[in-house]
């Protein structure tokens, strides 16, 4: 590798006695500067790749967090089923997103609706995309499908699950992300020209693209399937069907919080970028840090508000409700985390908590049963998050995160006019419409051919026993009661409820 | 002499990258602990989790004192390292503390694999003995052969085996096969768990007690694998001279992608394969299938195309299913199916690399992308037999070495009657008999024994 040093003794031979060999001198200096430039370029690739890769790993950890949240929120007899759906989201999503999902989402140059390059990662790495970016986007894609599985938990046939999950991760979600995140997308805020309303919609890490998509799909699935048996009694009163492990719910919530530090700040994709003059202490690394702060503040505020809100409404301090409130705050701030001040994030979280509580009350009134309250949380708080961004996005931040169109609109309450706010509303409507248009008929079709919901017997016994080979928890050996001899017969799962203990905690 | 700006920046970036990868590999220890806990019966949960903790703590001492030295010391002996005992003269120009920590995280993973094969019936004191020996001696020697630049199998040696050296990038053989072959001998010499095969030789299912922990463990292992495979590049800031914007950062991203695709494919294939064979959708089998895919791609993750990783995962799923069937027929009982998974899929991973390695990627991984270099590569891609031959030699050497070291050790322990626990202790469970009580107190109002003497008294009350 060429030397980066430059000393006078290197130059004097070129200056000679009385003549200056100007060309040689210039070539010499320029070569040195090129070497420095190349080294810097290499360093910035390494730094940015490290940053993006570790962010991707964190977003992947959210898959585990959501699996644990789901497991803890359902009854013990359905634990295997819901966890398998989470594992399959990641595995099947990996294949479908690699084969065509990524291409639909980011295959530029293309049109405003759908991408058309990089099928099977052909031509990657290119100057626009490298492998870390694919991995990061894959981690996002598998998150969306996971959300939906929460809404239809405890009563959905596994085959139906495989079908809708592949469709959502391989088609519905990538198209949505193309509209708002690709440089070609018709509503994208990073489009170079012809921005929607002169603004484009700002959904930085996906309150709409990820959370609303998952939540609205779940809404239709749960509506079409109907509530779980026993959830609403014959007089219409609601019966709480408690999850089997609060510890898992908390474990999952904390893992999701941990992973959100990759989800939100990681969406900057690069960290080594100065804003304005080089050599200042302020650059994209500062924005990354600020985004982590806004994320944290929104979640915390939502959690606290839920704590006190539910204390008023139901009379006690409820940990699982607080965890859900926390996650609602995160889902909401995800849209505007990079473009708002920290104080605004507190407002975001505060409102998100009430949005979630309100939607839960509404769901009960309408006899809508969502075991994870996923439609209310991800759909409702996600939509609020988009609105919040339209109100509170700051001018300086918007121009740093989405450079290239100075004088662009920003938050309504910050003096930026109504155009960004309007674009956000369009995003909400369009996502609701697109996801309904694609997923509702799919769920309805599955329902009509009896592939969607499990039978009453299966639901009462628990899907683990009937479809997944046995219960998740076996705290006492089957042979504990046979003190004298050893087992001589194979254990077969029976279809009638056994005396297995189901009230277990982890 | 002042350190130059350039090398400070480079070293900082590389150190951050390697350290965080090491932390991720360490998370795999937690993942494996959870996987093990969930896969055994409730009465043995304390025992298996303690073995996992002990792996980490005992392995740290032995690897620090001499394991790292055997693995990476010296520059001339192709069999064993001869310097860096207790990290003497570290840091030097070649190795720094971050590298030691990274390698330590790998070393403690090996013994964990073996603990799965001998679970539920091994005396704890014996466990300490073989864990110390495996992490401090058996494993580092293999690591020296393949990963030290003086090792006889290494692709970075000056004297390349078959002109190639064996490519085991993150250790399908060095880590997974070593752990598995040790486990094979331990489990075989000990024999199956009481009640595992009935009087007619038919297998009796012994289900793990907590599927949630199995899934938790699997996902944590997946998460940690992002440090295990891509981190094995060691340095991220290495540019490839023949390109303008590519370097190890590109190959690292590609390695994370191949890792993901292999595991995902193996998981899906296992899902449908087991559905055909047993008639239901089995979450635990899918978890094991996933892990088998990761184990297999660990050898060639950095040198194959993403589409090849899909092939790797597809085949590894069937290998695991097939070996599990074979194990039952041979009445071989491995509670975690660790031998089949880490041994079988690990061996397939070595072969896979010999078939599908791409020359451009091999040069990136082992020659920093230098132009004008040629290397043997995958047979199916036209690269000749040199690489595949080296892979086979690595495979056979590992089986032989681990057999002649761990086989006699287990046999001696068995002959001294300190390997396996007694039948009464096994039926009672290791937790109550050796670890002071049960892991779970789900029903405190019941008449649960609090220690072993009480348990025995209750037993005699029943009969």
């Amino acid at each position: 590798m060429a030397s980066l040093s430059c000393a006078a003794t290197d130059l004097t031979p070129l200056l000679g006695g009385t003549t200056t060999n100007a060309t040689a001198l210039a070539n010499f200096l320029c070569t040195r500067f090129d070497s420095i430039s190349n080294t810097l370029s290499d360093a910035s690739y390494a730094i940015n790749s490290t940053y993006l890769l570790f962010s991707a790993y964190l977003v992947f950890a959210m898959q585990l967090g959501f699996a644990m949240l789901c497991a803890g929120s359902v009854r013990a007899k359905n634990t295997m089923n819901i966890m398998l759906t989470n594992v399959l989201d990641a595995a099947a999503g990996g294949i479908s997103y690699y084969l065509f999902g990524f291409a639909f989402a980011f295959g530029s140059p293309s049109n405003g609706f759908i991408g058309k390059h990089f099928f099977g990662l052909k031509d990657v790495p290119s100057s626009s995309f490298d492998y870390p970016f694919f991995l990061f986007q894959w981690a996002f894609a598998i998150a969306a499908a996971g959300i939906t599985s929460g809404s239809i938990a405890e009563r959905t046939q596994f085959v139906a699950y495989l079908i809708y999950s592949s469709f959502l991760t391989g088609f519905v979600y990538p198209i949505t992300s193309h509209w708002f995140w690709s440089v070609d997308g018709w509503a994208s805020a990073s489009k170079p020209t012809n921005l929607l309303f002169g603004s484009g919609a700002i959904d930085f890490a996906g309150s709409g693209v990820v959370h609303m998509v998952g939540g609205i799909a779940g809404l239709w699935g749960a509506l079409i399937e109907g509530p779980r048996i026993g959830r609403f009694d014959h007089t219409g009163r609601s019966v709480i069907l408690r999850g089997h492990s609060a510890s898992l719910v908390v474990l999952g919530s904390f893992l999701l919080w941990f992973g959100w530090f990759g989800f939100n700040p990681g969406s900057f994709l690069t960290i080594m970028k100065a804003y304005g003059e080089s050599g200042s202490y302020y650059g994209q690394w500062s924005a990354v840090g600020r985004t982590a702060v806004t994320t944290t503040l929104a979640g915390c505020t939502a959690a606290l508000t839920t704590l006190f809100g539910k204390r008023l409404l139901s009379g006690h301090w409820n940990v699982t409700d607080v965890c859900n409130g926390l996650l609602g705050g995160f889902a909401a701030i995800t849209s505007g985390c990079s473009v708002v001040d920290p104080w605004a994030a507190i407002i975001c979280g505060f409102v998100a908590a009430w949005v979630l509580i309100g939607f839960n009350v509404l769901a009960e009134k309408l006899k809508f049963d969502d075991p994870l309250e996923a439609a209310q949380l991800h759909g409702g708080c996600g939509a609020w998050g988009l609105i919040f961004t339209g109100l509170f996005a700051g001018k300086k931040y918007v121009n740093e995160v989405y450079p290239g169109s100075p004088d662009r609109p920003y938050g309504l309450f910050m003096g930026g006019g109504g155009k960004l706010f309007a674009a956000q509303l369009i995003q909400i409507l369009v996502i609701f419409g697109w996801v309904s248009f694609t997923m509702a008929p799919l769920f309805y079709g599955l329902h009509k051919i009896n592939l969607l919901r499990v039978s009453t017997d299966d639901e009462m016994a628990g899907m683990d026993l009937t479809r997944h080979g046995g219960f998740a928890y076996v705290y006492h050996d089957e042979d504990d009661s046979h003190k004298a001899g050893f087992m001589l017969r194979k254990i077969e799962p029976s279809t009638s409820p056994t005396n297995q203990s189901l009230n277990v905690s982890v | 002499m002042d350190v130059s700006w350039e090398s400070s920046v480079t070293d900082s970036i590389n150190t951050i990258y390697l350290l965080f990868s090491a932390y991720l590999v360490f998370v795999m220890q937690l993942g494996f602990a959870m996987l093990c806990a969930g896969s055994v019966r409730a009465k043995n949960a304390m025992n298996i989790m303690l073995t996992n903790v002990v792996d980490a703590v005992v392995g740290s001492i032995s690897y620090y004192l001499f394991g790292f030295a055997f693995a990476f010391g010296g520059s001339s002996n192709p069999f064993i390292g001869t310097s860096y005992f207790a990290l003497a003269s570290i840091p030097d120009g070649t190795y720094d503390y971050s590298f030691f920590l990274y390698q330590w995280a790998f070393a403690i993973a090996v013994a964990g694999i073996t603990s799965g094969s001998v679970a539920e019936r091994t005396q704890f004191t014996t466990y300490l003995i073989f864990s110390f020996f495996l992490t401090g001696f058996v494993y580092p020697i293999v690591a020296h052969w393949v990963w030290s630049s003086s090792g006889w199998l290494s692709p970075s040696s000056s004297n390349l085996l078959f002109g190639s050296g064996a490519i085991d990038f993150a250790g399908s053989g060095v880590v997974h096969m070593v752990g598995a072959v040790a486990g094979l001998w331990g489990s075989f010499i000990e024999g199956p768990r009481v009640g595992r095969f009935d009087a007619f030789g038919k297998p009796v299912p012994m289900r793990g007690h907590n599927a949630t922990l199995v899934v938790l463990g699997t996902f944590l292992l997946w998460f940690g694998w992002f440090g295990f495979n891509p981190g094995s590049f060691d340095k991220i800031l290495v540019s490839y001279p023949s390109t303008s914007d590519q370097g190890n950062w590109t190959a690292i991203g590609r390695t994370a992608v191949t890792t993901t695709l292999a595991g995902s494919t193996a998981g899906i294939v296992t899902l449908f394969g087991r559905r055909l064979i047993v008639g239901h959708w089995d979450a635990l089998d899918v978890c094991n299938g996933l892990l088998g895919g990761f184990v297999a791609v660990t050898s060639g993750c950095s040198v194959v195309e993403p589409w090849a990783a899909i092939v790797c995962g597809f085949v590894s799923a069937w290998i695991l299913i097939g070996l599990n069937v074979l194990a039952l027929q041979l009445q071989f009982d491995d509670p975690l199916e660790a031998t089949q998974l880490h041994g079988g899929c690990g061996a397939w991973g070595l072969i896979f690399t010999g078939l599908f390695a791409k020359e451009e990627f091999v040069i990136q991984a082992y020659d920093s992308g230098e132009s004008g270099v040629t290397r043997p590569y995958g047979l199916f891609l036209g690269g000749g037999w040199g690489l595949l031959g080296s892979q086979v030699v690595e495979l056979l050497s590992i089986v032989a070495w681990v057999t002649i070291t761990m086989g006699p050790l287990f046999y001696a322990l068995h002959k001294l009657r300190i390997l396996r626990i007694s039948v009464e202790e096994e039926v009672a469970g290791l937790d109550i008999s050796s670890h002071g009580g049960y892991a779970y107190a789900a029903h405190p109002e019941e008449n649960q024994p609090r220690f072993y003497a009480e348990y025995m008294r209750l037993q005699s009350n029943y009969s």
Side-chain angles (χ1 to χ4, degrees), chain A residues 78 90 153 174 182 201 213 268 299 324 371 404 412 425 483 490:
Chain A
N78 293 312
S182 165
V213 167
F268 276 96
N324 280 319
L412 177 62
L425 288 178
K483 296 298 177 203
K490 196 159 142 66

Side-chain angles (χ1 to χ4, degrees), chain A residues 113-337:
Chain A
F113 178 76
I114 190 172
K116 51 187 193 185
H117 298 281
F118 309 131
F119 289 91
L121 284 185
K122 187 166 170 309
D123 300 325
V124 170
S126 72
S127 52
S128 27
F129 298 124
D130 201 344
Y131 290 106
F133 181 70
F134 167 78
L135 200 78
F136 186 71
Q137 293 301 332
W138 159 78
F140 269 65
I142 61 180
I147 293 168
T148 312
S149 69
S151 299
I152 55 175
E154 303 212 82
R155 59 214 194 283
T156 307
Q157 294 188 40
F158 195 70
V159 169
Y161 170 77
L162 287 172
I163 294 171
Y164 94 70
S165 173
S166 329
F167 184 59
L168 189 68
T169 311
F171 184 69
V172 178
Y173 164 81
I175 301 231
T176 315
S177 65
H178 184 85
W179 297 344
F180 299 99
W181 286 346
S182 165
V183 294
D184 295 329
W186 64 270
S188 164
S190 43
K191 220 160 47 123
T193 54
N194 211 5
L195 292 164
L196 175 71
F197 301 156
S199 165
I202 292 181
D203 188 8
F204 187 68
S207 294
V209 175
V210 177
H211 296 281
M212 272 191 75
V213 167
I216 302 299
L219 172 74
W220 286 108
L223 264 177
I224 289 171
E225 274 194 326
R228 289 168 288 176
I229 294 172
R231 176 73 175 90
F232 297 102
D233 68 14
H234 59 279
T235 66
R237 254 198 330 231
S238 82
V239 176
I240 310 279
L241 295 177
R242 286 164 60 99
H244 81 276
S245 172
S247 311
L248 287 178
V249 169
V250 173
L251 170 67
S253 302
F254 267 121
L255 281 167
L256 283 166
W257 188 344
F258 175 61
W260 233 294
F261 287 127
F263 201 90
N264 285 0
S267 293
F268 276 96
L269 305 180
T270 57
I271 189 166
M272 185 160 145
K273 184 171 156 189
Y275 291 149
E277 297 293 313
S278 262
S280 117
Y281 63 84
Y282 182 69
Q284 191 133 296
W285 49 87
S286 319
V288 162
R290 188 185 65 241
T291 305
V293 171
T294 54
T295 302
T296 306
L297 286 173
C300 295
T301 311
L304 273 176
T305 310
T306 309
L307 177 73
F308 289 108
K310 292 296 283 185
R311 172 71 176 82
L312 283 172
L313 292 170
S314 61
H316 61 265
W317 313 99
N318 188 317
V319 68
T320 46
D321 283 340
V322 166
C323 285
N324 280 319
L326 175 77
L327 298 176
F330 289 139
I333 192 63
T334 295
S335 151
C337 48

Side-chain angles (χ1 to χ4, degrees), chain B residues 400-414:
Chain B
W401 168 250
V402 180
T403 300
I404 63 176
T405 46
M406 298 301 287
L409 174 66
F410 280 122
Y411 192 68
L413 294 168
H414 167 68

Side-chain angles (χ1 to χ4, degrees), chain B residues 161-349:
Chain B
L161 178 71
F162 302 155
S164 167
I167 293 182
D168 189 5
F169 191 70
S172 294
V174 177
V175 175
H176 296 280
M177 278 189 70
V178 167
V181 174
L184 170 72
W185 286 107
S187 188
F188 173 67
I189 289 170
E190 277 193 326
R193 289 169 286 177
V194 166
R196 179 72 174 100
F197 296 99
D198 65 15
F200 309 103
K202 293 194 72 61
V204 176
M206 281 186 171
R207 289 171 59 86
H209 82 280
N210 191 326
T212 308
L213 289 179
V214 172
V215 172
L216 172 67
T218 304
F219 266 124
L220 282 169
L221 284 165
W222 188 341
F223 178 60
W225 233 294
F226 287 127
F228 201 89
N229 284 2
S232 294
F233 273 94
D234 183 25
K235 296 180 158 55
I236 188 166
L237 182 44
V238 172
S239 63
Y240 298 149
S242 50
T243 69
S244 59
D245 56 2
Q246 288 191 36
N248 270 4
W249 52 87
T250 313
I252 281 170
R254 188 183 62 235
T255 304
V257 172
T258 54
T259 303
T260 303
L261 287 174
S264 300
T265 310
I268 297 172
V269 170
T270 309
L271 176 78
F272 288 107
R274 293 295 289 169
R275 172 75 176 82
L276 282 172
I277 297 173
V278 303
H280 63 261
W281 311 97
D282 195 312
L284 304 180
D285 284 341
V286 167
C287 287
N288 280 321
L290 259 175
L291 295 176
F294 289 134
V295 166
V297 84
T298 293
S299 151
C301 49
S302 58
V303 296
V304 300
E305 296 265 27
W307 62 260
I310 294 182
V311 174
C312 179
F314 183 86
V315 174
S316 96
W318 290 114
I319 289 187
L320 182 59
I321 289 175
L323 286 176
N324 279 334
V325 168
L326 184 66
L328 287 183
Q329 287 182 348
L330 297 176
Q331 299 199 15
F332 174 74
D333 178 30
D334 184 322
L336 272 284
E337 53 194 69
T339 305
Q340 298 91 297
L341 204 161
H342 295 271
C345 296
W348 155 242

